[in-house]
Structures are given as structure tokens and as C-alpha cells.
Amino acid sequence: AMVAADPRVLALAAQVTESKEQDIPLLLLKLKGILNSASLGSEESKKIKQDIYYYDLTQYCMLVLRQDHSRLRGGWATAAQLAEILSHCCVGLEVKEDPEEFHNKFLPSAIDNLLFLGRRLQARFIRTIKDEEKQDFLHWFQTVADAICWLFGGHVQLAACVLQNDHFLQLLIADDIETAIITMSILHNILRVNSSVLLQVDEETLHSILDELVYKLSSTTNPVIGNAATKLLLLVAKFCKQLVKLLTARYKGLKGLLSKQWSGKGFDRDLGQLLDLLYLEQSNGKGEMQRQHQAACIIQATWRGFQTRKRLKKLPQAVTTLQRNFRAKREQELQHLEKQKVEEALKLQMQLQRQRAMRLFHERQLAVLEIIHASQVNKYMEEMEGKSALTIQRFWRGYRARRNFHQQRQSLKEYKAAVVIQRAACKFLEKRRRRRPLSPWKDPKGLTDERRLALQQKVDDYIKLHPASQMSEEMSKELHVQAQEKLAQFLLRSRLDQRAAQRRETLLAQVNTDVELLMNAPGLAEATEKDLDVFVSRSIPVATKARQSHNTMLKYTRWPWWKKLGDEFVEDDVIPDDALNAELGTLFIGGKK
């Protein structure tokens, strides 16, 4: 039998669905009271978690973790509580419908969002200056870390997801001591829950984690960091012998570093166990290898010290550059905001001026209309329209004159420049002619007798090689007669074709006229003698069309000025063809199709 859903979960789901986005995080905090109402691990608790999952409240919790809670109600404290609620909702939940989606998609997404929230809290903890705020952010970061540990403690397969997540590696490599300790505690819990998880991740992730642990041992002197890193390496070495080989092969100076730097710091027991495991792997050639490891450790320490000192020397310059860039950017933003304010104020002022001018104009017009007698209103309005038209014409003609002047000024400048260049060129050529002395007259060279004989011999040889075709006088006359006959035939044929074309054009014009007259003619019952005369006489249609053309020309000349604004350069006696066509339609006018 179907069991009814918890009414509190139903009511909360309805509130979340109907509420605004900024109010959802605070509403979701009610889930904590609903979860605490049932004992952990009981059937009632499982039923409540199933209802919360099926009504998508866990999805809401997971999505809210991605938001920037500095702008939401409740702040980051609400985000930390929602992380704790999400982990408690997922642990002990038995999904009956589509469990693969829950285990393969929902849980990895929840881990990713929790780690993303942890990164945001870590960044704000590092940037915060006040001690109270730092303690708050550290407490919330610890709450999120506990939620992550609780979640993968209930679902062991999530341990590999945590290690392979980029956000976890970013949390681990942070230089801050407090958050680094909490992150290493997460790693410690992962190794306790699933000792073989390091063999399940890819090689790059494994090397990144081990590199960071060894780096923390070599780069800091804080005993808390050293104790945590040593315990993690000891767990790695205890749970998997293959990783001991990797530690000894990849970090050859690790044993010397541990024995010299971390002896007597309060965790000698764990340190001794780790060193014993490392020395067991290299029983042969122990002394030589130890010296090499010590030398490598010294070189690495020296190099890291050099890099650290170099970075510290560059730090003031970098801070100065950062401050300068920040101040320049802030100055640009302030200038931009000031410019926007000035522009908005100018727009508002112009709008107010327009409104004030329109109001004054309407008030003046109403006052005038109150003074003027009712019979004189139309006359006054006509005078105002005339004045307005004159004002528009005056501004238009002024604009056109200024435009033409600017165009002519450029052409006039070019013309004057051309005249100056031509005048200078003419002066230069005149001076050159005056300076050049007159050359003495020289007779043209004539042909000598030997040259003339040689040319005559070439001409004769060419004539012999290319003799011209000879035609008799009778053949020439016969050819001339044939050409004359063909020319006369062509002229006669072209004259006949021209007459036929003229006849066709005349017939087409007559047909067009008759068709138009028939289209406009009245019915037989209404026909009069005048209508019959139109079809009998051929001059009446022509006179009618001439009258219509004359009326159209008169109507065009009476058009108002605003209809002829685009025709300033058209002569007064020229009527546009569009106007004539609009009046005459498709009627035939004599001499035109």
C-alpha cells in the first residue's frame, strides 16, 4: 500500500516552488528540523529522506550551493548549514526509482558543489582581515568539510570522486595553515574509509597528491602541518606496499628530510614508523643511497629557499603594480559613472526644456484663441499655417543654400588651385623657351643615288613575288551593274517595310483609341447622338485628350509648395510623366502610344 508523504515536506516543497529565488535558501533550512524530528537510521527517517528526494528538495539544496551567498539572505552561514543538510539527506537514502542516476550523476554533482563551496569559503577566509570574520569563515569551512566526510562515509565509492576533483586539489595546495589542516583531515578520513582508493585514481592525480604532501614537509616548519603530512604518508605506506616503492623512487631525499627537519617535533613515533618503512625498501646500498638522498634534499632545500627569497623580493613591486592598476581602473570607472550622470542630467534638462516650451506654446495658443472672436478663428489659423509654411520654407532654403555653398566652396578651391598650378606651369615653360637658344637651320638629308637604286630594286622584287590580280574592263562594268541592282532592290524593300511598319503603328493607335472609347461609352439604352458622333468622327477623341492634358497641366501648376519640394531643378513648363499618367491612365493621345 502507498504511504502518504510527510505533510511537512509537502508544505515546504509548495513554499519553495512559489517563493522567489532569494528566499529559497532560508526556506530550505527547515529541512534540518524535519530531519532531526526522526531518530537516525529509523524507518521514519528513511521515509522522510525519500520524500525530500522525490520532491526535488535535495536538488534545490545542491543547486543553491553554487550561488554567491554574499548577495543572498542568510549569507555563508546558510550555505554551510545547507551543505550539512544535503549530506544528511543523501546518507541512508534508499532510492527505488532509477538508482543509477542517483549514484552516478546526483552524488558526484553533490560532491563537486560541496568542494566548490569549500573553495569559495577558503578564498574569503584568506582575503578577510578581521579576526572575527576569519573565525566565522573557518567554522563554516569546517562544517562543509564535515559534510563532505559524512557524505563519502555513507557512500564509499565517492572517495575516488573527491580525490579526482580539481577543487579538492586546489584546496590541498593552498598555503594557508588552518584550511590546509582541515583539507588534509578530509584526505585522512578518505584513506581510513577506503584504503585502496589511491590505487583506483589515475597516476597524475596520485602524483599530484603525493607531491603536495612532500612539498608541505619541505617548505614549512609548522609542526601541525608536519604531523598531518607525516600521518598521511604513514597511512599511504601502511595500506599499500606499492606506494612505498613509489615514495622511495620518486622522492629520494625524503628520508633525510624527515630525519633532519622533523625529529623531536612531538610526533617521533609516527615519524619513526614511516622512516622504518622507507628504509626497509632500500636495505642494499643503504649508506650510499642515503648520502645521495641527503645531497638531493640539500639541493632541493637550497633551490626552494632561493626561489622563496626571490619571490619575496618581487612581492613589493608586484603589490605596487597591482595597487596602481587597481587605482587606475577605479579612476576610469568613476570617470565613466560621472560621464553617465552628466549625460543623464543633460537629457533630463533637455526633456524638461522641451516640455516647458510645449506647455508655454499651448498656453499662448489657448490665450490667443480666448481673445479672438469665434468668426475670426479660421482666419487666424490660416495665417498661422501660412507663417509656419514660410518658416519651414525659409529653413529649408537656408539649409539647401548652405549645402550648395559647402559643395561649391570645395569645387571653387579646387578650381583656384588648378588655376595657380596652370599659371606656374605656363610661367615655367615661358622662361624655359626664352632661355633655350635657337638651333641653326639644317637641311633635310636627301637620298643618294645608290640608296634610291637599292630601294627601287626591292620594290621590283616584291612586285615579282606578289603579282596583282588583273580584271578586264567588261568584267568591272558587269560587277558594277550587279551591285547597282542589289542596292536598288534593298532600298525598295526597306521602303516597303517602313510603310508597312507605319501602317501597323497607325492601326494599333486606332485600335487603342477605339477600345478606350468603347470601355468608356454608355449602354445602348442611354446612348445619345453626341456619343454616336464620337465613333463617327476621328477628331473628337483627339480634342478630348488634348483637353484632358491641358487640365492636368493646370492642376499641376496649382499644387501646394510642399508637393513640389523635390522639383527645384525642374523647369516650370515641364510636367512629370508620373502626374500625367496618373491623370490620363491608359488613354491614347495623338502621336503617342
Side-chain angles (χ1 to χ4, degrees):
M2 292 292 294
V3 181
D6 193 297
R8 297 172 297 176
V9 177
L10 282 173
L12 182 59
Q15 289 180 2
V16 169
T17 305
E18 297 173 357
S19 299
K20 297 181 180 179
E21 185 178 354
Q22 59 268 22
D23 298 333
I24 291 177
L26 292 177
L27 289 174
L28 292 175
L29 292 179
K30 296 180 181 180
L31 290 173
K32 189 172 183 180
I34 297 173
L35 291 171
N36 293 334
S37 63
S39 59
L40 189 64
S42 63
E43 293 296 329
E44 183 184 358
S45 176
K46 294 180 181 179
K47 181 63 176 60
I48 291 174
K49 292 178 181 179
Q50 289 177 356
D51 293 340
I52 292 172
Y53 178 75
Y54 288 138
Y55 284 101
D56 292 335
L57 293 178
T58 52
Q59 283 84 345
Y60 274 110
C61 290
M62 184 179 68
L63 294 176
V64 166
L65 297 180
R66 278 274 177 180
Q67 297 180 356
D68 186 3
H69 290 269
S70 59
R71 302 178 180 178
L72 298 178
R73 295 172 59 188
W76 296 103
T78 304
Q81 293 180 27
L82 289 177
E84 189 176 7
I85 292 171
L86 178 61
S87 64
H88 281 282
C89 288
C90 294
V91 176
L93 174 61
E94 296 179 359
V95 180
K96 297 179 181 179
E97 295 180 3
D98 199 2
E100 293 182 357
E101 181 180 0
F102 174 73
H103 291 286
N104 297 333
K105 292 183 179 180
F106 181 79
L107 289 178
S109 299
I111 284 291
D112 184 70
N113 288 359
L114 288 171
L115 291 171
F116 180 74
L117 177 62
R119 280 199 64 191
R120 282 188 164 180
L121 292 172
Q122 184 190 54
R124 279 161 176 77
F125 171 76
I126 295 173
R127 290 200 301 265
T128 304
I129 300 175
K130 297 181 179 179
D131 293 336
E132 295 179 359
E133 294 182 359
K134 288 182 78 70
Q135 292 300 322
D136 291 338
F137 278 111
L138 184 62
H139 174 66
W140 297 331
F141 182 77
Q142 181 67 55
T143 304
V144 175
D146 294 340
I148 295 171
C149 295
W150 182 263
L151 185 56
F152 67 71
H155 301 277
V156 183
Q157 72 277 8
L158 294 178
C161 294
V162 175
L163 293 181
Q164 292 179 346
N165 195 289
D166 294 335
H167 298 310
F168 177 75
L169 293 177
Q170 294 295 329
L171 290 172
L172 187 62
I173 64 176
D175 294 332
D176 183 67
I177 297 175
E178 290 85 351
T179 56
I181 293 171
I182 296 173
T183 307
M184 284 193 289
S185 68
I186 296 175
L187 181 58
H188 190 274
N189 291 328
I190 290 174
L191 294 177
R192 285 191 176 277
V193 169
N194 189 359
S195 59
S196 61
V197 66
L198 292 177
L199 298 178
Q200 299 173 6
V201 300
D202 55 274
E203 186 178 357
E204 184 179 357
T205 303
L206 175 61
H207 289 173
S208 299
I209 294 173
L210 294 178
D211 289 346
E212 183 59 28
L213 294 177
V214 175
Y215 173 75
K216 288 185 183 300
L217 288 172
S218 61
S219 62
T220 184
T221 57
N222 192 310
V224 181
I225 296 290
N227 186 13
T230 304
K231 287 183 177 180
L232 286 173
L233 291 177
L234 181 59
L235 280 176
V236 170
K238 279 184 178 181
F239 290 144
C240 186
K241 293 183 178 181
Q242 297 178 4
L243 296 179
V244 179
K245 295 180 180 179
L246 177 63
L247 288 173
T248 55
R250 187 174 176 86
Y251 312 104
K252 296 183 179 180
L254 179 60
K255 293 186 294 295
L257 175 66
L258 293 172
S259 59
K260 282 190 174 183
Q261 187 169 342
W262 296 107
S263 296
K265 294 298 179 69
F267 49 93
D268 293 339
R269 179 181 176 183
D270 296 332
L271 183 63
Q273 292 180 8
L274 179 59
L275 287 173
D276 292 340
L277 291 174
L278 294 176
Y279 282 125
L280 273 175
E281 284 295 322
Q282 292 183 344
S283 56
N284 298 329
K286 182 178 178 182
E288 184 64 27
M289 292 299 295
Q290 187 176 2
R291 284 194 298 272
Q292 293 180 1
H293 292 165
Q294 290 176 355
C297 185
I298 292 171
I299 293 172
Q300 289 177 357
T302 305
W303 170 251
R304 290 195 181 97
F306 169 74
Q307 290 283 35
T308 304
R309 289 189 294 274
K310 185 178 179 182
R311 189 164 60 248
L312 289 175
K313 286 181 181 178
K314 290 183 178 180
L315 188 60
Q317 184 179 359
V319 171
T320 305
T321 305
L322 182 62
Q323 290 177 347
R324 182 170 61 252
N325 294 336
F326 174 75
R327 293 192 186 100
K329 186 177 180 180
R330 186 174 59 184
E331 185 68 24
Q332 290 178 358
E333 291 178 353
L334 292 175
Q335 290 179 0
H336 182 66
L337 290 175
E338 188 67 24
K339 186 177 179 182
Q340 284 184 346
K341 289 181 181 178
V342 172
E343 291 178 354
E344 291 177 357
L346 183 61
K347 286 182 180 178
L348 183 60
Q349 186 177 2
M350 291 178 66
Q351 187 176 2
L352 291 175
Q353 289 178 358
R354 291 195 191 100
Q355 292 177 356
R356 194 178 298 113
M358 289 296 294
R359 192 185 305 112
L360 291 174
F361 172 74
H362 288 304
E363 291 176 356
R364 207 175 297 147
Q365 196 172 15
L366 290 173
V368 172
L369 290 176
E370 290 176 357
I371 296 171
I372 297 174
H373 194 267
S375 61
Q376 300 293 326
V377 171
N378 291 332
K379 184 178 179 180
Y380 172 74
M381 294 302 294
E382 290 178 358
E383 290 179 358
M384 292 300 295
E385 289 179 358
K387 290 181 180 179
S388 301
L390 289 175
T391 303
I392 295 172
Q393 289 177 353
R394 185 171 65 253
F395 276 98
W396 167 252
R397 292 192 182 105
Y399 165 73
R400 188 177 60 189
R402 287 190 296 272
R403 184 184 62 187
N404 294 335
F405 172 73
H406 286 301
Q407 294 177 355
Q408 293 174 1
R409 184 171 62 179
Q410 182 65 24
S411 59
L412 182 62
K413 188 183 295 184
E414 294 177 355
Y415 173 75
K416 289 182 179 179
V419 169
V420 171
I421 294 171
Q422 290 177 355
R423 187 184 298 118
C426 291
K427 288 182 180 180
F428 171 74
L429 293 175
E430 184 65 24
K431 289 180 181 179
R432 192 173 182 182
R433 276 197 298 271
R434 289 176 182 176
R435 291 178 183 176
R436 186 170 56 191
L438 296 175
S439 58
W441 174 259
K442 294 183 180 180
D443 293 333
K445 294 183 179 180
L447 294 175
T448 59
D449 294 337
E450 292 82 4
R451 181 62 179 167
R452 189 179 293 107
L453 290 174
L455 292 175
Q456 186 64 37
Q457 184 64 34
K458 288 183 179 180
V459 171
D460 294 340
D461 294 339
Y462 182 81
I463 291 173
K464 289 179 182 179
L465 291 174
H466 306 85
S469 60
Q470 303 252 337
M471 183 182 290
S472 62
E473 187 176 354
E474 292 79 8
M475 292 176 64
S476 175
K477 289 180 179 179
E478 184 179 357
L479 183 62
H480 179 69
V481 170
Q482 292 177 0
Q484 290 294 329
E485 289 177 355
K486 290 184 178 180
L487 180 60
Q489 291 176 1
F490 171 73
L491 293 175
L492 180 61
R493 195 183 308 111
S494 64
R495 199 173 292 115
L496 293 175
D497 293 341
Q498 187 176 4
R499 288 178 182 174
Q502 290 177 356
R503 181 173 178 76
R504 283 195 300 272
E505 291 178 359
T506 305
L507 289 174
L508 285 173
Q510 184 176 357
V511 168
N512 289 332
T513 305
D514 292 340
V515 169
E516 189 63 33
L517 291 174
L518 287 173
M519 293 292 292
N520 297 327
L524 294 176
E526 301 174 357
T528 61
E529 292 183 0
K530 291 183 179 181
D531 297 330
L532 296 176
D533 292 340
V534 171
F535 293 96
V536 174
S537 174
R538 308 306 300 175
S539 62
I540 292 177
V542 176
T544 303
K545 305 309 177 272
R547 191 182 303 110
Q548 291 179 352
S549 176
H550 180 68
N551 291 335
T552 303
M553 294 174 64
L554 289 178
K555 189 181 294 184
Y556 178 77
T557 56
R558 293 171 185 170
W559 278 359
W561 61 270
W562 48 269
K563 281 191 177 181
K564 296 187 286 184
L565 280 178
D567 304 329
E568 291 86 354
F569 301 103
V570 180
E571 298 180 0
D572 295 336
D573 57 348
V574 177
I575 308 300
D577 290 339
D578 296 337
L580 290 176
N581 292 335
E583 295 292 335
L584 301 180
T586 58
L587 297 179
F588 173 76
I589 300 176
K592 184 174 180 181
K593 289 197 291 181

